[in-house]
Amino acid sequence: MITKTCDRCGSKISTDPMANAILPMFFIRRIESFALGWQSVDLCPKCEKMLAEWLNDKVMEQ
């Protein structure tokens, strides 16, 4: 099994989709240079949960 590293906290992420079947899921990409193009941002389940909570808070403020 291939593992990735969380770009936020550095923890290991399993690439097994059944192991990471926590909703909501995020697919995040960033661009820092047009020459390099879009790069994927990998988040572990804990950081995805924190992102979801932050986004939910932002929606509630409106």
Side-chain angles (χ1 to χ4, degrees), residues 17-61:
M18 294 309 291
N20 293 330
I22 300 169
L23 298 176
M25 293 178 73
F26 298 92
F27 298 96
I28 305 168
R29 298 184 332 166
R30 68 176 180 195
I31 189 165
E32 293 183 15
S33 163
F34 289 111
L36 295 176
W38 289 97
Q39 298 175 333
S40 293
V41 175
D42 299 315
L43 295 177
C44 67
K46 178 182 173 185
C47 290
E48 280 190 354
K49 180 180 178 194
M50 291 173 65
L51 175 60
E53 290 170 353
W54 178 77
L55 290 172
N56 286 336
D57 287 344
K58 291 294 181 187
V59 168
M60 295 300 211
E61 289 176 4

Side-chain angles (χ1 to χ4, degrees), residues 3-32:
T3 59
K4 294 182 179 181
T5 302
C6 178
D7 290 322
R8 182 177 179 273
C9 71
S11 66
K12 299 295 180 193
I13 306 168
S14 170
T15 56
D16 178 4
M18 294 309 291
N20 293 330
I22 300 169
L23 298 176
M25 293 178 73
F26 298 92
F27 298 96
I28 305 168
R29 298 184 332 166
R30 68 176 180 195
I31 189 165
E32 293 183 15

